[in-house]
Amino acid sequence: MIAQTKDTPRNRLRQEELFKIAVLFLGSLLLAVWFKADYLLFAQPVYTPARILKITDYAVDYKFYDSLADKTLTFRHELFPEQAQRLRARPTLEVVYAASNSDIVVVPSLKRPLPVWVFASIHLACVAALFLSIRDWWRLRSAR
């Protein structure tokens, strides 16, 4: 026989808390994946000069040597025409890449990334809400 569960307000609250826990857990995982590049750039920054290969009005091609991987990497960065004007007088750029993943590259003179504390505070708020939701669910569960 299948046991019938009573549809009491307490059971509905517990189910709502479980739903909130699932959403917050998935949100925390999504934020960790989404902010991974920013976290890596903060934790393992490598600063190196890059040589400009070609500048058009809407893009710049540059290359730099990744000493950790022992290879030269070439990248293209989209620009605004004003940025291209400023870059025409410069022979090199300063780039920052993550030591563990040289595909994560930022050119600080072209695009200022948001400080990592912005991403960390959003992520921390989601994790804190997850723990509070787990605490509320536990209180509802244990107070039978």
Side-chain angles (χ1 to χ4, degrees), residues 6 12 41 43 47 52 58 65 74 78 80 94 121 139:
K6 296 179 183 175
R12 272 187 260 128
L41 278 173
Y47 296 86
I52 296 176
Y58 298 101
Y65 179 70
T74 305
E78 302 298 320
F80 292 110
E94 182 78 17
S121 61
R139 285 181 179 169

Side-chain angles (χ1 to χ4, degrees), residues 28-91:
S28 296
L29 288 178
L30 176 71
L31 288 174
V33 171
W34 192 15
F35 298 153
K36 179 184 176 189
D38 299 294
Y39 291 152
L40 285 176
L41 278 173
F42 176 75
Q44 310 165 338
V46 177
Y47 296 86
T48 188
R51 190 166 66 87
I52 296 176
L53 301 173
K54 178 180 157 188
I55 297 177
T56 64
D57 286 340
Y58 298 101
V60 60
D61 295 336
Y62 57 92
K63 71 177 184 177
F64 64 92
Y65 179 70
D66 180 2
S67 59
L68 300 172
D70 194 29
K71 61 183 174 180
T72 301
L73 302 171
T74 305
F75 283 90
R76 172 175 281 243
H77 190 90
E78 302 298 320
L79 299 174
F80 292 110
E82 308 84 50
Q83 291 175 316
Q85 272 307 99
R86 283 185 299 169
L87 281 181
R88 290 190 198 283
R90 303 166 106 187

